[in-house]
Structure formats: C-alpha cells, structure tokens
C-alpha cells in the first residue's frame, strides 16, 4: 500500500514507550501521557470472563457482525440512554472502537472523496482516512483557540457536496470539551444539506462531569441513515486491552462493512463478547465515583493554570484530558515534551499529534492519582520558571 506522509507513528504510543523505557531503567516518571482509566475493571466483568471460559462455543468463531444477543443488548441500551433509533441489525461489534472507525471509513470512502475532521482531533482519524483511501482529500476545521468551541462558520464553508464524511468526537480528546446539543444540531443540518455522513466517536460519553450534558447526534434521525455512532467499553470500564467496541451503521453500508469484517477480523473475540454479554447490564456504580475524581482533578488543573497567567488551556467537562496552551514558552510541542520528560520526569503528549495547527499545545491526561497530578504540576512549574521564563 501507499504510506501517505499523514500515516505517521502514533505520538501518544511513542510517549508511552518512552515512559516505559525510563521506568525500566528505574527512573522516576510522572506520566500524564497515555489515556487509560486509573481504576481496575469491575469484578463482575472479570468473573464473566471466567464463566465464559466454561462455555465450549467461546473457543469458536462468532458471527462476523458479533453475537446476536449482545447486539440486541447494545441496541436496546442506545435506544434507552442515547435515544439513537437503532436495531440489532445496525450494530457491528469490532476489536476496539479504533477498528469500528477504520472499517466505517473503508466502507465509505472512494478516490477523490473529501473528509472533514474537526481539530484538534484524536491522532488516528486522519491516518485512518488515508489508510482507508489513499486518494482521499482531508479538510481540517479548527476549533477556536480562545474557548475550544466549534467554529460553525468554518464548518459551513468546509462541508460541500464533495464531502463524504465529517468526523468528530464528544466528549473530546484532547481538549476534554463536551460538544453542546445546539452545535451538533447545526452540524447535522450541514451534513444533511450536503448529503454527507457523520462519524460520531462517543467512546467517552459516560465520562461527563461538567455543566454540559452528553448529546448523541444520532438521536436526531428517525432511523439510522447518515450518522455512524462508534463507542465501546474500554474507557468507561477500564478494559482497554480487551479490544471490544462497536459501530451503529446505516443499512446502506452494512453489506460492505460485513465483507470487511469477514476478511480482516473474521470476528471480534468470542470470549470477550460473551463476557460482556454475561455481565450485562454492565456495572456502572463506579462511573459517578470516577467522574467525581475527574472533576476534582480538572479543578487542580484549573488552579495550576490560574497560577500561571502566561498559560491558558481548555476547561475540561468530560473525558479525562486537558489541552494546555504553551505558546508563551516559545517551544514547539515536541521540544517542550522532550525537555520536560528529560529534566523533570513528567510525560505529556505534544499538541502537534492532534493537528499541525496545534503545535503550541500539549495534552495532559487526568486519569492519574491526585498526588501524581499535584507532583507533576509542581515539576512543570519548576521547569517553566527555570527553563522557559527566566
């Protein structure tokens, strides 16, 4: 295949590898880099895996689209909680949400199609677009840097009849912002007017702790037709390594997506699917507790920003990220991250990973213990005072 220059190494995983190497050397590291929950998976899920091991069929293939019983449960949950009018036949279960996105793009894109991505964006949206179709045209539409809200006028201009799909996520990685219902309604109107599909990445939808509630753009349809909602259980239930996600797919794409799943994955792990199915309804008691901790950590981050007038950044309301503007330091984000890690042992992710226009930012993960976060902020403070603002 042709490796477009946009198909580059994942900087988030590269940072994680640097942290791992330093830890193996016995060096002290305070990692605010990788995005994984800092709590253990609920015991009910672990027990369900053990129970699933005793079911003989769980060492065999499942249907390519997923276990019928689990697809039914997911569809019912989406109808009830998110008001997305889907049926079991709209659901495809995939090895992680990342796979749900790229399979959707592969089912959608043809040479010359345009993809509009709202930036800053998760690191894989653009590379996956080019993996799915090497001759795709990607248009980046930046959020406003003063308040990290959508620039609706820029979106209006970017989306045209040539646009095949618009990609966004909420709650957002890397800013931690939650996209208001009003903005999503306007985006839906723009997509409808130009006959474009929408991929709505809602992997963080349970992790909301601010004053803006989560809203699913798929709920604006009477039946699934242009919105592909992707989601999963890794972030909300701390099972990122289990690799299980799903997509809500319009009927017009199901045939192609099924073919792709058959030839690329055969099926998502039958064992893990059955474990989720057996544990359903999934435990949620831990989620308000985790959201409460995230709200406290967001407050620590806000206090840190307030103590440094030279700094600014997003004000997280969901997910577990914050996006900090380091433009006043004069350092590009890669240089900032490299020097910070080397001199203080604090790992953050360079903003350029989330878009070429965001090299003046770094992403911080709030999915760490408060003591780690407080110590990291102390070390960042010293680094800024001693290295950047002398």
């Amino acid at each position: 295949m042709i490796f477009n220059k946009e198909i580059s190494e994942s900087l988030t995983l590269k940072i994680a590898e640097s942290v791992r190497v330093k830890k193996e050397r016995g060096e002290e590291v305070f990692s605010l880099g990788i995005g994984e929950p800092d709590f253990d998976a609920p015991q009910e899920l672990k027990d369900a895996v053990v129970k699933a091991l005793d079911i003989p069929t769980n060492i065999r293939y499942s249907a390519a689209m997923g276990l019928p019983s689990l697809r039914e449960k997911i569809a019912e949950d989406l109808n009830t909680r998110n008001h997305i009018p889907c049926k079991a036949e709209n659901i495809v279960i995939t090895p992680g949400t990342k796979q749900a996105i790229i399979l959707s793009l592969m089912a959608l894109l043809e040479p010359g199609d345009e993809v509009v991505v709202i930036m800053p964006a998760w690191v894989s949206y653009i590379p996956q677009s080019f993996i799915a179709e090497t001759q795709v045209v990607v248009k980046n539409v930046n959020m406003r840097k003063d308040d990290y809200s959508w620039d609706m006028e820029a979106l209006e201009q970017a989306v045209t009849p040539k646009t095949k799909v618009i990609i966004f996520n909420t709650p957002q990685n890397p800013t931690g912002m939650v996209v208001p219902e009003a903005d999503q309604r306007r985006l839906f109107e723009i997509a409808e007017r130009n006959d474009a599909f929408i991929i709505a990445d809602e992997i963080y939808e349970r992790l909301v702790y601010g004053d803006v509630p989560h809203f699913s753009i798929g709920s604006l349809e009477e039946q699934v037709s242009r919105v592909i909602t992707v989601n999963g259980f890794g972030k909300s239930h701390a099972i990122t390594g289990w690799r299980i996600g799903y997509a809500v797919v319009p009927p017009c794409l199901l045939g192609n997506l099924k073919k792709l799943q058959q030839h690329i994955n055969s099926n998502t792990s039958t064992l893990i699917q059955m474990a989720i199915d057996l544990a359903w309804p999934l435990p949620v008691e831990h989620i308000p507790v985790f959201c409460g901790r995230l709200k406290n950590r967001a407050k620590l981050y806000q206090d840190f920003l307030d103590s440094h007038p030279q700094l600014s950044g997003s004000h997280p309301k969901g997910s577990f990220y914050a996006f900090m503007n380091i433009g006043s330091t004069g350092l590009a984000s890669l240089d900032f991250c490299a020097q910070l890690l080397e001199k203080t042992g604090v790992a953050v992710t360079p903003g350029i990973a989330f878009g070429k226009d965001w090299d003046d930012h770094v992403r911080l993960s709030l999915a760490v213990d408060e003591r780690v976060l407080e110590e990291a902020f102390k070390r960042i403070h010293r680094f800024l005072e001693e290295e950047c603002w002398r």
Side-chain angles (χ1 to χ4, degrees), residues 176-190:
M177 304 301 287
V178 179
V179 182
E181 177 180 343
D183 286 353
Q184 293 192 56
R185 284 184 175 274
R186 189 168 169 189
L187 176 66
F188 185 84
E189 292 169 0
I190 294 170

Side-chain angles (χ1 to χ4, degrees), residues 152-212:
M152 299 308 301
E153 289 71 27
L155 267 172
E156 287 268 10
Q157 294 176 7
V159 180
T160 72
K162 293 182 179 180
T163 302
K164 179 61 72 71
V165 62
I166 306 161
I167 309 176
F168 78 96
N169 83 308
T170 184
Q172 222 251 340
N173 173 11
T175 67
M177 304 301 287
V178 179
V179 182
E181 177 180 343
D183 286 353
Q184 293 192 56
R185 284 184 175 274
R186 189 168 169 189
L187 176 66
F188 185 84
E189 292 169 0
I190 294 170
E192 196 171 40
R193 190 163 60 246
N194 290 279
D195 196 24
F197 289 88
I198 297 169
I199 294 179
D201 179 356
E202 300 188 354
I203 188 62
Y204 298 101
E205 54 113 350
R206 288 185 181 270
L207 305 180
V208 175
Y209 45 87
D211 56 358
V212 181

Side-chain angles (χ1 to χ4, degrees), residues 133-276:
E133 172 50 66
T134 58
Q135 297 181 53
V136 75
V137 177
V138 174
K139 292 181 176 178
N140 299 333
V141 177
N142 285 319
M143 294 179 181
R144 296 185 177 91
K145 285 194 176 183
D146 56 348
D147 62 359
Y148 304 89
S149 64
W150 282 2
D151 186 336
M152 299 308 301
E153 289 71 27
L155 267 172
E156 287 268 10
Q157 294 176 7
V159 180
T160 72
K162 293 182 179 180
T163 302
K164 179 61 72 71
V165 62
I166 306 161
I167 309 176
F168 78 96
N169 83 308
T170 184
Q172 222 251 340
N173 173 11
T175 67
M177 304 301 287
V178 179
V179 182
E181 177 180 343
D183 286 353
Q184 293 192 56
R185 284 184 175 274
R186 189 168 169 189
L187 176 66
F188 185 84
E189 292 169 0
I190 294 170
E192 196 171 40
R193 190 163 60 246
N194 290 279
D195 196 24
F197 289 88
I198 297 169
I199 294 179
D201 179 356
E202 300 188 354
I203 188 62
Y204 298 101
E205 54 113 350
R206 288 185 181 270
L207 305 180
V208 175
Y209 45 87
D211 56 358
V212 181
H214 174 72
F215 177 79
S216 289
I217 195 170
S219 67
L220 298 176
E221 301 188 294
E222 293 184 2
Q223 58 186 8
V224 180
S225 56
R226 73 174 66 254
V227 177
I228 302 166
T229 303
V230 297
N231 208 329
F233 314 102
K235 305 294 186 177
S236 58
H237 288 76
I239 52 172
T240 52
W242 288 21
R243 309 312 302 141
I244 181 165
Y246 59 84
V248 182
V249 183
C252 62
L253 298 176
L254 282 170
N256 284 345
L257 207 143
K258 184 176 182 179
K259 294 172 190 175
L260 290 166
Q261 180 88 316
Q262 288 174 334
H263 290 294
I264 294 174
N265 300 316
S266 293
N267 65 275
T268 302
S269 167
T270 309
L271 175 67
I272 298 303
Q273 287 189 74
M274 181 56 73
I276 298 292

Side-chain angles (χ1 to χ4, degrees), residues 38-217:
D38 61 321
F39 61 88
D40 196 8
Q43 188 61 43
E44 294 94 325
L45 285 175
K46 297 179 183 179
D47 293 342
V49 174
V50 176
K51 186 176 180 180
L53 283 169
D54 291 330
I55 301 174
T57 55
N58 282 336
I59 60 172
R60 308 299 183 192
Y61 294 119
S62 80
M65 302 297 272
L67 292 177
S69 59
L70 182 55
R71 293 167 70 198
E72 287 277 1
K73 291 179 174 71
I74 291 171
E76 182 180 355
D77 179 60
L78 289 172
N79 272 275
T80 302
R81 289 194 309 107
N82 298 50
H83 309 294
I84 298 173
C86 59
K87 300 176 182 178
E89 51 261 38
N90 296 119
I91 306 296
V92 55
I93 300 174
T94 56
T97 305
K98 181 179 286 188
Q99 195 80 356
I101 296 169
I102 193 166
L103 289 179
S104 299
L105 288 167
M106 292 174 76
L108 274 170
L109 296 178
E110 297 177 354
D113 280 344
E114 293 183 356
V115 177
V116 172
V117 184
I118 300 174
M119 309 294 285
W122 178 57
V123 298
S124 292
Y125 292 152
I126 294 175
Q128 286 192 342
S129 296
F130 284 103
I131 292 171
E133 172 50 66
T134 58
Q135 297 181 53
V136 75
V137 177
V138 174
K139 292 181 176 178
N140 299 333
V141 177
N142 285 319
M143 294 179 181
R144 296 185 177 91
K145 285 194 176 183
D146 56 348
D147 62 359
Y148 304 89
S149 64
W150 282 2
D151 186 336
M152 299 308 301
E153 289 71 27
L155 267 172
E156 287 268 10
Q157 294 176 7
V159 180
T160 72
K162 293 182 179 180
T163 302
K164 179 61 72 71
V165 62
I166 306 161
I167 309 176
F168 78 96
N169 83 308
T170 184
Q172 222 251 340
N173 173 11
T175 67
M177 304 301 287
V178 179
V179 182
E181 177 180 343
D183 286 353
Q184 293 192 56
R185 284 184 175 274
R186 189 168 169 189
L187 176 66
F188 185 84
E189 292 169 0
I190 294 170
E192 196 171 40
R193 190 163 60 246
N194 290 279
D195 196 24
F197 289 88
I198 297 169
I199 294 179
D201 179 356
E202 300 188 354
I203 188 62
Y204 298 101
E205 54 113 350
R206 288 185 181 270
L207 305 180
V208 175
Y209 45 87
D211 56 358
V212 181
H214 174 72
F215 177 79
S216 289
I217 195 170

